[in-house]
Amino acid sequence: MRSWKNIVLIVLLLTLAFSAGVQAKDTFVKASRNLVDTLDPQLMVASATMELSFNVFNSLLIFDPEDRDTLHPSLSTQVPSYDNGLIVDTEDGGVRIEFPVRQGVLFHNGSELRPEDIEYTIKRALLIGGQPASIRLLSSTLLDKGSFQVLVDEIGYDEAFEVLDQAVTVEGNSVIFHLPKPFVPFLGIMADGGASLAILNKEWCSEVGAWPGTKETGQEFMGLTIEETALHDKMMGTGPFKLASWEPGERIVLERFDEYWEGPATMSRVIRRIVEDTSTAIMLLQRGDVDWIDLDSPADLPRVEGSPGVKTITDIPTAWLMKMNFVFDITEEGNRNIGDGQIGPNGIPGDFFSDINVRKAFQYSFGYDVFINDVFLGSALKPYGPVLIGFPTANPDNPQYYYDPEKAEEHFKKAWNGEVWEKGFKMRIPYSAGSLQRQRALEILKDNIEALNPKFEIELFSLPWASYLAEITAKKLPISLLGMLPQVFDPYLPLFQHMHSSGSYARDCGYDDMAREKYDVLIDELGTNYDEERRMELSHQLQLYAYEDAHSIFHFQNVANIAIRDWVQGYIPLPQPFNVDFYQIYH
Amino acid sequence: MVVLKKIIKNPMGFIGLTLVLFWVIIAIFAPLLAPPGDVRDPYMIKRAGYSSLPQPPSSEAPMGLSGGGYDIYYGIIWGSRTAFRIGLIVVLISGLIGTLVGGVSAYIGGLMDEIVMRIVDLFMSFPFLIGVIIMTVVLGKGLNIVILALIIFGWRGYARVIRSEVLSVKERDYVTAAKALGLSRRRILIKHVFPNSIFPIFVLASLNIGRMVLLASSLSFIGVGSEPGFADWGQMINFARPWLTGVVGDPFAFWFTYLYPSLAICSFILGWTLLGDTLRDVLDPQLKGT
Amino acid sequence: MLKKFIIKRLLTLPLILFILSGLIFSLVAFLSPYERLAVFIPDPEVYAQAPVEELVILYGLDEAIHIQYLNWLKNVFLGDLGWSPSARMPVSRALSSRFPATVELMLLGQLVIFFGGIAIGTYTAKNHNKLGDHFFRFMTTLGIAFPGFVVGLLLLVIFYSWLGWFPPGRLSPWAMDVVGSLEFQRYTGMNTLDGILNGRFDVFLNSLRHMILPAFAYSLSTLAATIRLMRSSLLETLRKDYIYTARSKGLSEKVVVNKHARRNALLPVITFMGTSVPIMFGGAVIIETVFGYPGMGLFIVQAAHGLDFPAILGSALLVGVVIVFVNLVVDLLYRILDPTIRYD
């Protein structure tokens, strides 16, 4: 028996002695909770995964990190504009945009970038039905239909492929885009640094089993899923880093590409490892085994601030806006959330929120300051409206709602001809389990409203994400808490999403008629008119409508906090600050 | 009762009984000790504000506030009711089912035993977590679902344990003797087999009453426990998860968020375990005489 | 006799798996296609842009259940467990990396439980009601009384944050590079065994170093319970008639305890350890989260949250096989320990 114990002891000691590994100075390790959904940039939807495509690929243009409104050339040698003649209006009302392609750019496998690669990339993105928002936008712009599938359903594959073929062409050393009508955010879409508009190498793609680029093979690749794509576990681009290895669920490793056309990066290796638990991530950071962690909650800041060797960067604006959306036409059948479907102590009618006074009453009932100060400990921004803070044409002077119980009471008394105040109401609102910000926002709303009149009752309950999704889709929620994460830095996107009849919110929340009447025209013009002053006018008008018609409570725009080892220099925030531009990092 | 006296005489048993009684009293007098005010459901923990940072104990909140403004004192008091509810209901029902099924089947043996044990295997193979998570999606969340899930996936433990005992007791002399005497199967089961094989069940049961609270806590961890804000010690421990490591320079800054629920859970489990142990010690020599 | 018993038991395996998979699949009937869509829409912010109806059709979520089940069954017979949308890889690949990780951990844990539990349990029974007994009784109650993540985090704080001895994760970065490289052959998927088989003792040690804390945290409550069960079982056995017989025969106390009593006392303990296996699969998720150790626990929970049926079914089948084997081993051990037990 003795000898057993000795052996165990020796082994234990050995494990301690033997295994200390030293961290190389030119390796950057990032801890993340986000799983990589796929390496195919045209099927990637999680914004955290786009960090990888951003660093491994390039796109035609790139936004200026300090001033996102300004664009710079990347794989293209110039930024097209009317002034330099690269943007030209065509006779049929369309627009022709030309991108001269840079020479001497190498892919990770050594082959040189050619205009055909860009042509292929765009065509593939459209053909397979690319999932990222910017590609879907591109699709509807270039094909004038929602997607390639829709086009095929309408005019048949052969005709549809012709349209696709003509949308992007190569002339000499340039790639030409033929837009059926002007689309202002187009350049912005092209400038995402490779996040979604990552330029692929046509030959390599063909070799590894992706679409070869021919018409005959096209149909097999339509409606491509993650399961089917040959690019699921491979990445090969022109960016400063190349894929070294990927252990799904554990970590992904990138290595420096020495022949990067802008010069090699400083870091030679980047490791992104999955760490589920925040406490564990903090410990890893404090010990230096990890160089970067995202702090999901501002309440995490006091847990890291002041640790030796660690510095924090706080209050970084993000492009994530959250809002509480009133559903104007709640499904009535089999819906426990609205009780008996009548105004009264046992329910609400499905069209409860179609009355503007109800909406305004709710708007005035929300404790905006309490929410930001107590729940976010001050680390969030109160939005101006649907156009995110920091985006062009965002209007800080747009009228806004504040917590005002008197005004709330006033509007409640007017609602539904006084019935609401007299009879009271009851509704059930779910939130997705684990989402603290949703839970707290609803709790604040509930407490403030119930305090106004004892006949008002709001019951809150949590649902697993799958059930929450099902209820939203079935329109059973009186109020849904969904926000916007625009990938392109242009007011068109959030306004389209929030207020256009074809945008998701107008449809899902039931105000698409209102949209068709008042907003569509303005939003369409916003998308097609390049005149900056006019765009400002349109945007401001739409933001005003958002206030007057009160479709949603804009309760916060997220702000990011990160904690990093103090040797890390060069960090420049990207629109989603948790995504890092590894090229800029140095010791 | 003789048994009670014997328990009290045993020092461990005395401590166990005291602890359990302590919590019984707290549970009964909860509305007096922590008045719910005019909130509709007293089981939802009283809130004071929404601050994401826990607030240390003060005159209004003697045990402090957890992240989100939950009054810890209130949660501890009302959580005692939840602990009893979960522990007693689950153990009673699952213990009964498991013991009956496992015991009878083991005694009868043969094909029926095989089939029943395969069914038990089936229940065991069905991964608990998957079952619970899917149950929540289909049936909704809440304490009752937690209890139901714990029963469905808990009875098999008792079945297996009683089975091993019965299989062994079955071959004992006194059973063979009873059979030879012509006693009915039922009689032999009730008078001879069960009483001699039941002890591990008692130990298991006493352990489990407390353990249920912990299992409920792991369910909260993965997001399928009781409703957020419900007075449930397991959930309260989960609330404390981000605060376990404190802040830099003061690792115990938020001690109140985890110490109180931990003490509650520990003392509750300790009480039942000691009680169960002593009960077994006390009952054993009595029955041996049969 | 024995062979027949084993074969009979193994034959029931396919039947069990079939029923199990059928039962699980039937749960699909209770779920709407939108609920099953959740795994393709990872977070709410993506939802706003997702073409829900298209996705439902694309992934065949509205097809009739029995068709979906038959398709799945057919593929399983061909050796294809399908694609896991929650893990973003084929189910078989996910299982082949996650399952060995958990097995490794569980083996180490069971070793600790077995030797520790029996040794300490015997000690407390022998020193019944003395100081040592009370001390361990108190400790074991504490051991059961703490939620897994509390123990895990506390251990990490002490042994990693303060001392730097045992880091979270499965392997250190340099070891991961070695294991991922082409020269390293993955025989079992378990880093410890593979390390030895590849002649890389450093990988073996590194893997062990990462496993010690999670294995301990993970087994703590089962260890505590085993100690108590061993104690009570041994105490009970010691009072039995045949023990008096042995003692009166003049055999030394040591022989009495070790040879006769222990064997019989082991029965409920072995049972308990057997039942603890599936429970440990469940408890694993908490430990795996805290220690950043990707195993079956996390995989199952993520699959279940996403209603990812191929992954759920694949895991359930695998776990089912493991459990039938474990039960078989347990039953066989009974026969060895107590030859009087008969199986009809």
Side-chain angles (χ1 to χ4, degrees), chain A residues 45 47 50 63 68 132-135 137 185 188-189 192 195-196 318-323 385-392 482-498 505 556-558 574-577 579, chain C residues 45-46 48-49:
Chain A
V45 286
S47 52
M50 292 181 192
F63 55 85
R68 294 201 199 122
S134 23
I135 294 188
L137 260 184
I189 293 178
D192 68 1
S196 300
T318 71
W320 178 30
L321 175 78
M322 274 301 291
K323 53 199 176 82
V387 178
L388 285 76
I389 300 176
F391 270 48
L482 293 173
M484 302 197 283
L485 204 66
Q487 303 284 359
V488 183
F489 197 63
D490 189 289
Y492 175 80
L493 231 71
L495 285 171
F496 181 85
Q497 249 190 8
H498 183 64
Y505 284 106
F556 77 99
Q557 186 167 331
N558 198 35
L574 291 179
Q576 295 314 330
N579 291 346
Chain C
E45 309 340 304
V46 178
Q49 290 145 186

Side-chain angles (χ1 to χ4, degrees), chain C residues 87-265:
Chain C
R88 310 290 189 316
M89 62 174 111
V91 173
S92 44
R93 205 177 135 204
L95 288 176
S96 66
S97 75
R98 300 307 197 93
F99 184 66
T102 299
V103 168
E104 255 188 319
L105 210 55
M106 224 185 257
L107 279 177
L108 189 61
Q110 293 286 10
L111 277 175
V112 169
I113 295 173
F114 188 73
F115 287 113
I118 293 181
I120 301 180
T122 313
Y123 170 79
T124 54
K126 278 205 258 188
N127 296 301
H128 181 39
N129 279 333
K130 288 200 227 132
L131 191 61
D133 181 25
H134 289 314
F135 171 72
F136 276 110
R137 247 164 136 195
F138 180 69
M139 291 301 286
T140 55
T141 318
L142 273 190
I144 326 174
F146 275 100
F149 75 86
V150 174
V151 173
L153 278 176
L154 276 175
L155 285 174
L156 258 186
V157 168
I158 300 174
F159 290 99
Y160 175 61
S161 243
W162 294 351
L163 295 171
W165 290 355
F166 302 113
R170 263 190 97 184
L171 286 173
S172 300
W174 65 264
M176 286 196 90
D177 290 337
V178 171
V179 168
S181 71
L182 292 166
E183 298 86 38
F184 195 89
Q185 274 280 49
R186 278 212 159 275
Y187 298 106
T188 61
M190 293 192 268
N191 293 331
T192 42
L193 281 184
D194 285 345
I196 295 181
L197 291 171
N198 272 280
R200 295 293 308 243
F201 206 57
D202 51 354
V203 171
F204 165 73
L205 283 177
N206 189 263
S207 176
L208 204 58
R209 185 181 183 207
H210 285 89
M211 275 167 52
I212 291 180
L213 282 188
F216 182 67
Y218 185 37
S219 351
L220 199 61
S221 64
T222 317
L223 174 66
T226 308
I227 293 178
R228 317 190 82 255
L229 198 56
M230 182 71 203
R231 174 189 181 277
S232 75
S233 176
L234 191 57
L235 277 177
E236 210 194 295
T237 316
L238 280 173
R239 284 183 247 225
K240 292 267 163 65
D241 296 334
Y242 53 86
I243 298 299
Y244 284 143
T245 320
R247 282 204 183 113
S248 63
K249 269 202 211 161
L251 292 168
S252 76
E253 190 62 22
K254 207 171 171 194
V255 174
V256 168
V257 170
N258 289 349
K259 231 185 143 196
H260 295 268
R262 226 174 20 187
R263 277 186 143 201
N264 289 305

Side-chain angles (χ1 to χ4, degrees), chain A residues 22 50 113 155 228 242 311 401 425 432 450 506 552 563:
Chain A
V22 184
M50 292 181 192
L113 173 72
I155 61 178
E228 297 161 345
K242 54 185 176 183
K311 63 183 181 194
Y401 292 99
F425 68 83
S432 49
E450 288 184 348
S552 308

Side-chain angles (χ1 to χ4, degrees), chain B residues 118 121-122 124-126 129-130 133 137 164 171 207 214 218 222 237 244-245 265-266 270 273 277 280, chain C residues 9 12 16 24 31 137 141 144-145 147 149 153 157 228 232 282 286 300-301 304-305 312 323 327 334 340:
Chain B
R118 296 294 76 78
D121 273 353
L122 207 69
M124 251 206 228
S125 320
F126 200 110
L129 284 178
I130 295 182
I133 294 178
V137 176
S164 76
E171 309 298 331
L207 283 180
L214 278 183
S218 351
I222 53 176
I237 282 267
L244 276 171
T245 43
I265 295 180
C266 263
L270 190 66
T273 317
D277 272 358
R280 202 225 66 218
Chain C
R9 187 61 81 81
T12 62
I16 292 183
I24 295 180
L31 300 169
R137 247 164 136 195
T141 318
I144 326 174
F149 75 86
L153 278 176
V157 168
R228 317 190 82 255
S232 75
I286 297 178
I300 290 178
V301 169
H305 273 306
I312 294 175
I323 289 177
N327 284 342
Y334 285 174
T340 60

Side-chain angles (χ1 to χ4, degrees), chain B residues 3 26 46 50 58 61 75 108 120-121 123 136 146 156 168 186-187 200 208 249 252 271:
Chain B
V3 176
I26 301 257
K46 215 152 70 151
Y50 309 95
S58 63
I108 296 184
V120 171
D121 273 353
F123 265 92
T136 6
V146 171
R156 60 203 190 186
S168 140
R186 181 139 59 103
R187 247 188 125 200
N208 278 350
F252 302 110

Side-chain angles (χ1 to χ4, degrees), chain A residues 276-279 283 286 299-300 302-308 370 374-377 431 433 439-440 443-444 447-448 450 454 456-457 460-464 466-467, chain B residues 40 44 47 49-54 67-70 133 136-141 221 223-229 239 241-249 254:
Chain A
E276 291 283 340
D277 187 85
T278 310
S279 306
M283 282 191 247
Q286 288 170 329
D300 289 332
R303 299 167 68 191
V304 242
E305 261 169 350
S307 310
V370 164
D374 285 3
V375 177
F376 277 88
L377 302 175
Y431 54 91
Q439 185 185 344
R440 299 281 178 254
E443 285 171 350
I444 294 176
D447 288 342
N448 290 349
E450 288 184 348
F456 293 167
E457 192 183 334
L460 302 178
F461 62 105
S462 70
L463 281 178
S467 314
Chain B
R40 285 167 228 267
M44 298 303 282
R47 312 272 298 272
Y50 309 95
S51 173
S52 294
L53 274 179
Y70 296 98
I133 294 178
T136 6
V137 176
V138 175
L139 297 168
K141 293 184 68 180
F221 185 92
V224 291
S226 48
E227 202 53 31
F239 278 173
R241 185 176 153 201
W243 315 116
L244 276 171
T245 43
V247 292
V248 180
F254 303 114

